[in-house]
Amino acid sequence: MNLQELKKRVKYKWRLQSAKYGKATFVAYIDARQVMDLLDDVLGSENWQDKYEVINGNLYCSIGIRVNENWVWKTDCGIESKMDKEKGESSDAFKRAGVKHGIGRFLYSIPIVTSKTKEYKGKEYPIDEKGDFLKGQKIQDYCNRKTKKQLPLSAVESTTQWMLKNQKTITDIKNLYFVSRDIEKEIIKQLKK
């Protein structure tokens, strides 16, 4: 068991944090199930546990990890979710306790993404550069495009050689870079040679 693996980068998603005064902000996040999966994968399900308690009206989660037959506990408080008050609060507390063990800590180095907003029926909503509303998968695509470096055309040949040598896929490249449709077509053409 290598506890450093708890700090590894896992696939993350984007959520709208706020939309007001003409500006929307998005933050990267992982969900509680991803934290559970990482704990299971790295430690084994028998080597971690969680517990909850209310202190001064706030819900706290503690995650215990068995290290050399001793339990190491780390604790943090959650905040209510806009969608589901109790579930959101426990999930947030669980994820925040996980951060104390290093899980998802990489998220804090990912920049916050911004966009403009447009009003619709008295409420502000995020929009892209064309003025189209951002929701669902469009938020994911927009934020990934804003935070990933564009893979340049000049790198197609070396990228395809690297992919072949290391048995990587287009998806692996897209996890590292923003790949435009034109570049993706060029990579596929190179791979077929």
Side-chain angles (χ1 to χ4, degrees):
M1 167 176 26
N2 179 0
L3 294 177
Q4 289 301 309
E5 287 184 40
L6 292 175
K7 296 179 182 177
K8 73 181 175 183
R9 198 175 173 104
V10 297
K11 188 170 180 150
Y12 56 88
K13 299 171 239 173
W14 293 93
R15 69 173 174 81
L16 177 64
Q17 185 176 43
S18 71
K20 56 186 176 183
Y21 310 119
K23 180 181 172 183
T25 57
F26 304 92
V27 293
Y29 77 99
I30 59 175
D31 63 37
R33 285 179 188 83
Q34 289 174 280
V35 175
M36 291 175 209
D37 288 344
L38 188 57
L39 287 163
D40 285 347
D41 292 345
V42 173
L43 307 172
S45 60
E46 71 282 4
N47 292 313
W48 73 272
Q49 58 182 305
D50 58 331
K51 62 183 179 182
Y52 297 84
E53 61 185 320
V54 176
I55 301 172
N56 293 331
N58 297 310
L59 181 66
Y60 283 80
C61 175
S62 299
I63 296 177
I65 294 177
R66 188 186 341 227
V67 180
N68 301 325
E69 298 309 314
N70 295 310
W71 287 94
V72 176
W73 290 91
K74 302 215 176 172
T75 304
D76 208 335
C77 179
I79 58 171
E80 294 175 3
S81 162
K82 293 177 186 173
M83 302 293 188
D84 190 346
K85 181 180 172 181
E86 289 81 13
K87 182 177 171 282
E89 188 175 9
S90 63
S91 176
D92 188 54
F94 178 74
K95 291 187 297 182
R96 292 169 64 100
V99 170
K100 299 261 181 103
H101 285 291
I103 300 170
R105 205 176 285 169
F106 71 91
L107 293 167
Y108 295 94
S109 66
I110 298 172
I112 291 173
V113 174
T114 62
S115 78
K116 292 182 179 179
T117 64
K118 183 163 58 174
E119 193 172 309
Y120 178 72
K121 293 187 178 182
K123 189 173 177 187
E124 289 185 66
Y125 294 93
I127 57 171
D128 65 14
E129 302 87 349
K130 296 176 185 175
D132 296 331
F133 289 110
L134 293 170
K135 65 179 193 174
Q137 187 59 44
K138 286 186 175 185
I139 289 175
Q140 307 310 307
D141 295 342
Y142 177 84
C143 292
N144 287 335
R145 190 173 68 249
K146 292 292 186 182
T147 57
K148 290 182 182 173
K149 293 180 182 175
Q150 169 80 27
L151 184 68
L153 183 58
S154 61
V156 168
E157 189 173 332
S158 60
T159 301
T160 52
Q161 289 171 359
W162 177 82
M163 288 170 67
L164 291 168
K165 180 180 176 186
N166 296 289
Q167 300 179 335
K168 299 295 182 181
T169 66
I170 291 282
T171 302
D172 295 318
I173 298 301
K174 287 181 174 179
N175 286 335
L176 299 170
Y177 295 97
F178 171 70
V179 179
S180 68
R181 287 189 182 109
D182 294 339
I183 299 292
E184 184 174 358
K185 287 177 187 175
E186 195 59 38
I187 290 172
I188 291 168
K189 190 189 312 179
Q190 290 280 328
L191 289 171
K192 288 181 179 177
K193 286 184 178 180

